[in-house]
Amino acid sequence: MGSSKKERQKMIPILLLSFLGGTLGQQDKPNIILIVADDLGFNDVSWHNELVLTPNLDYLARSGIILEQHYSQPLCSPTRGAVLTGRYPINTGLHPGAIPPLTPAGMHTDVSTLGEKLRSANYSTHAIGKWH
């Protein structure tokens, strides 16, 4: 028998994909912001729990799309690889778990990422945060 719904929700990082309207004038393409938050529980955002105040995330959520019906991995590197490629970690080389510092290993180089696809569509891409 599997884990409870509450336990599964605790493991799910929230993915917030925001298509923001242009604030600097008319744009041909929407801005895309993808946020992956480790250990963020289902009730840790205000649209699921009114006792939690998350005004900045609320703004992004109201002006974008909330993606929260997906599978997550129990460790960060496999989760990030899956999000960035749309593939299961076993297909990216990240299935063993977190990559320790100075380890000469990582994601397979022949796997396309979301960033590569966006750049081919003339987007400017940036990654901010941790990867280990």
Side-chain angles (χ1 to χ4, degrees):
M1 189 160 203
S3 60
S4 73
K5 183 176 180 180
K6 188 171 186 173
E7 289 171 317
R8 286 191 309 268
Q9 290 169 339
K10 282 261 183 216
M11 292 174 25
I12 297 175
I14 186 164
L15 297 180
L16 180 64
L17 182 59
S18 180
F19 296 95
L20 302 175
T23 57
L24 300 175
Q26 191 70 332
Q27 294 182 353
D28 295 335
K29 301 177 285 224
N31 292 322
I32 300 172
I33 300 171
L34 180 63
I35 300 172
V36 178
D38 289 334
D39 301 320
L40 184 69
F42 184 81
N43 282 321
D44 292 340
V45 290
S46 60
W47 56 88
H48 290 296
N49 181 352
E50 62 187 33
L51 299 177
V52 175
L53 302 177
T54 54
N56 294 324
L57 290 178
D58 291 349
Y59 171 75
L60 291 171
R62 279 193 309 272
S63 54
I65 299 170
I66 301 171
L67 304 175
E68 56 186 5
Q69 303 246 347
H70 57 278
Y71 291 102
S72 174
Q73 304 301 313
L75 296 170
C76 49
S77 295
T79 295
R80 284 168 178 71
V83 167
L84 293 175
T85 64
R87 295 179 172 207
Y88 291 111
I90 191 75
N91 297 314
T92 65
L94 297 174
H95 60 284
I99 302 170
L102 305 175
T103 301
M107 194 161 61
H108 295 171
T109 58
D110 62 343
V111 177
S112 296
T113 65
L114 177 61
E116 292 169 333
K117 297 295 184 184
L118 289 171
R119 279 192 300 277
S120 70
N122 294 319
Y123 273 88
S124 174
T125 61
H126 307 278
I128 300 170
K130 69 171 189 138
W131 184 296
H132 62 81

